[in-house]
Amino acid sequence: MTMKARLIPCLDVKGGRIVKGINFVDLIDAGDPVKVAQDYDVAGADELCFLDITASSEDRDTIFDVVAKTAECCFVPLTVGGGIRTVNDVRKLLLAGADKVSINTAAVQNPDLIAEAANKFGDQCIVVAIDAKQNEKREQGSSWEVCTHGGRMATGLDVIDFVQKVVTLGAGEILLTSIDRDGTKTGYNIELVRTVADSVRVPVIASGGVGTLDHLVEGIRDGHATAVLAASIFHFDRYKISEAKQYMAKAGIPMRLDGCGDTG
Amino acid sequence: MLVAIIDYGSGNLRSVAKAFGRAANERGVPANIEITNEVRRVRVADRIVLPGVGAYADCRRGLDGVSGMVEALEEIVLKAGKPFLGICVGMQLLSTRGLEKEPTQGLDWIKGDVIRMNPMHEQLKVPQIGWNTLELAESAADHTLFKGIPTGPEGLHAYFLHSYHFNCTDKKNCLATANYGGKITAVVSKNNVFGTQFHPEKSQRLGIEFLANFLEWKP
């Protein structure tokens, strides 16, 4: 029994450009998601994740172009999320070259979409992205509440109940982000990750709060996640993907190391 | 060489085509890689590829929706012996029956059902999403498709993304397995027909070598 843990670098994309972490580097080069995806692919990333945060609908088609161009040069799995509302959105992304799609707000507003998309494309390509926020005032269930709109909008839904519901509907994977930790670089909310990972049979990706390589180890070892997602620690080459994977392997996490430094 | 990648509404065609392009280029095989839903193109192809992302029943409907395609495939693959590669659900469709969502008749080229995985270890998640190594059957050790690819626990990894796997009636048709709380079918084969549960087009080095071997394969 071994399952290799996955390390997934994530890029926030807006209007076809990377929007996070471009302030120190030349805007044009650092801002091209296709180019950065290629670098991550060569460095041995186990998957890539694009999160499209484009606000206006007229710019939304840019993500299809980014996905198509990435799929043409990267032979590594690609998950794409952001703004997915309909089965047709899912289909368009899969046809463009995404392997999985991540549904966030629509999973809350229209849970039937999960079942509809899973029936059509299979559970394995439907990821539900859940933003969880601590709420100690909750009287029932866990102390985490599902949020949308980057944590600004509380839904009143209990995270554990909601996770079980979406899995029953057909979600094949959960991308779990702690809104409280996101951007803090203080590490994943391990208690949250572990509680969710232990409550469902599908894989859970830990997200939100990574600042060091130890945080990645903790997400797998202590949080029981099967994959760890990080964005900013890989910007400006602060840490290299291959370095992070080797660090995790040394800490005793089963990792796939054959892609590290491979040019394929 | 014409490589026909069958377009039947399933995703991921572009990645498959590009991976074949890279494989052909690296191995120096002159290949024209074509994504097509035209029976007449598939009929003249030297290599036929059936990719697949989706639920079994939905993919079967998609394939049936391309007029004359199943009949043409049976003629040129089963009767005329053209090398054929099914990928993921494209491989699963070779089975007698798929049990995902709704029981569905497959092409029945290789006997067996496609059943839900149930890994013995409860820490193992379903779907299997991620990278696993391959264990070759004894009969596969010298097979062209695995030439130059390190397999076994220390070998290269292949990318899997699935909840169901092919339970071959005749174990001789299972050429490679992956260990996921028990053996799951990674590769099926019968004569000139080959199928992988994993995605060669997403499996970096292993995948490119495998596709290049398929181009050079003379069953």
Side-chain angles (χ1 to χ4, degrees):
Chain A
M1 190 295 288
T2 44
M3 184 63 200
K4 306 292 193 309
R6 282 170 286 147
L7 176 60
I8 309 175
C10 179
L11 296 172
D12 286 353
V13 179
K14 187 176 185 183
R17 310 290 299 169
I18 299 174
V19 287
K20 256 190 196 171
I22 52 172
N23 37 339
F24 298 125
V25 202
D26 176 54
L27 202 85
I28 293 163
D29 278 347
D32 181 1
V34 180
K35 189 179 178 306
V36 175
Q38 252 176 311
D39 293 345
Y40 287 164
D41 177 21
V42 171
D46 295 307
E47 291 180 9
L48 303 174
C49 182
F50 285 155
L51 190 57
D52 182 26
I53 56 171
T54 304
S56 62
S57 52
E58 62 266 31
D59 282 342
R60 288 208 45 87
D61 279 349
T62 55
I63 193 68
F64 297 108
D65 191 42
V66 169
V67 169
K69 283 187 177 139
T70 304
E72 285 187 1
C73 61
C74 295
F75 304 113
V76 67
L78 179 61
T79 301
V80 184
I84 294 164
R85 295 283 182 274
T86 66
V87 165
N88 199 38
D89 293 338
V90 176
R91 177 193 305 280
K92 272 167 75 183
L93 282 171
L94 293 176
L95 286 175
D99 299 279
K100 297 185 275 177
V101 296
S102 168
I103 302 173
N104 180 229
T105 306
V108 173
Q109 292 174 347
N110 173 25
D112 290 343
L113 173 65
I114 301 166
E116 224 180 306
N119 280 330
K120 194 99 188 124
F121 309 109
D123 298 0
Q124 82 292 331
C125 69
I126 306 301
V127 183
V128 171
I130 297 175
D131 295 338
K133 200 173 165 96
Q134 197 98 25
N135 183 355
E136 298 296 351
K137 290 184 195 137
R138 289 178 60 78
E139 287 170 2
Q140 286 177 328
S142 72
S143 59
W144 297 289
E145 185 172 356
V146 179
C147 295
T148 56
H149 301 82
R152 293 192 306 276
M153 209 173 287
T155 63
L157 296 165
D158 180 79
V159 166
I160 308 300
D161 291 346
F162 186 65
V163 167
Q164 278 161 353
K165 178 182 170 182
V166 298
V167 169
T168 307
L169 286 170
E173 192 169 41
I174 302 295
L175 168 53
L176 180 67
T177 302
S178 163
I179 288 299
D180 308 291
R181 296 296 179 95
D182 207 23
T184 63
K185 299 191 184 352
T186 55
Y188 297 115
N189 184 332
I190 293 298
E191 199 192 337
L192 167 69
V193 175
R194 189 175 52 232
T195 307
V196 170
D198 289 350
S199 73
V200 283
R201 191 76 203 262
V202 304
V204 172
I205 306 169
S207 160
V210 174
T212 70
L213 299 184
D214 281 317
H215 293 154
L216 301 173
V217 174
E218 288 161 13
I220 304 287
R221 187 190 59 202
D222 306 329
H224 302 171
T226 52
V228 280
L229 183 136
S232 59
I233 64 163
F234 299 120
H235 292 158
F236 331 116
D237 272 347
R238 204 172 126 228
Y239 293 105
K240 293 195 185 304
I241 305 272
S242 53
E243 177 188 4
K245 289 181 73 174
Q246 274 150 2
Y247 187 91
M248 292 171 77
K250 276 199 191 109
I253 311 281
M255 300 297 294
R256 172 188 73 110
L257 295 174
D258 49 86
C260 294
D262 192 315
T263 52
Chain B
M1 171 186 290
L2 174 62
V3 180
I5 297 170
I6 301 175
D7 177 5
Y8 61 107
S10 159
N12 228 352
L13 303 176
R14 195 189 304 263
S15 312
V16 174
K18 287 293 161 183
F20 264 110
R22 166 84 78 99
N25 200 19
E26 284 189 9
R27 206 59 78 81
V29 179
N32 171 21
I33 320 284
E34 198 172 298
I35 295 172
T36 181
N37 61 2
E38 289 182 49
V39 169
R40 60 179 186 88
R41 292 304 288 162
V42 175
R43 277 185 188 279
V44 296
D46 303 289
R47 293 287 182 280
I48 296 156
V49 182
L50 187 67
V53 169
Y56 192 106
D58 199 65
C59 285
R60 176 71 221 232
R61 275 191 291 271
L63 189 58
D64 287 342
V66 186
S67 173
M69 187 60 85
V70 171
E71 295 77 8
L73 285 175
E74 284 176 347
E75 229 169 90
I76 52 187
V77 178
L78 293 188
K79 294 205 185 104
K82 282 279 170 63
F84 174 95
L85 176 66
I87 298 173
C88 197
V89 182
M91 165 269 219
Q92 294 184 348
L93 286 174
L94 305 175
S95 66
T96 310
R97 201 167 56 135
L99 300 179
E100 181 178 2
K101 310 280 179 193
E102 45 189 304
T104 305
Q105 293 303 309
L107 296 170
D108 200 24
W109 292 4
I110 295 177
K111 297 284 176 206
D113 282 350
V114 172
I115 58 172
R116 189 166 171 86
M117 292 195 294
N118 189 16
M120 283 182 294
H121 203 295
E122 65 178 27
Q123 276 178 0
L124 286 173
K125 304 289 190 171
V126 178
Q128 172 176 216
I129 301 181
W131 298 82
N132 212 329
T133 51
L134 303 176
E135 207 62 58
L136 296 192
E138 231 170 88
S139 61
D142 297 323
H143 200 290
T144 308
L145 271 286
F146 300 106
K147 193 183 70 186
I149 298 175
T151 52
E154 303 303 317
L156 292 177
H157 292 75
Y159 186 77
F160 289 83
L161 180 58
H162 64 128
S163 306
Y164 290 76
H165 84 120
F166 196 150
N167 185 25
C168 298
T169 307
D170 185 347
K171 299 300 170 200
K172 283 205 297 280
N173 294 142
C174 178
L175 246 54
T177 55
N179 182 358
Y180 196 69
K183 285 184 177 182
I184 57 121
T185 301
V187 175
V188 297
S189 176
K190 191 178 174 186
N191 306 320
N192 55 312
V193 174
F194 221 84
T196 65
Q197 179 60 65
F198 63 85
H199 288 272
E201 78 281 13
K202 295 285 171 172
S203 294
Q204 294 183 334
R205 180 50 40 201
L206 178 149
I208 300 295
E209 295 296 332
F210 181 88
L211 295 179
N213 289 343
F214 176 71
L215 295 176
E216 289 182 339
W217 184 35
K218 293 185 180 72

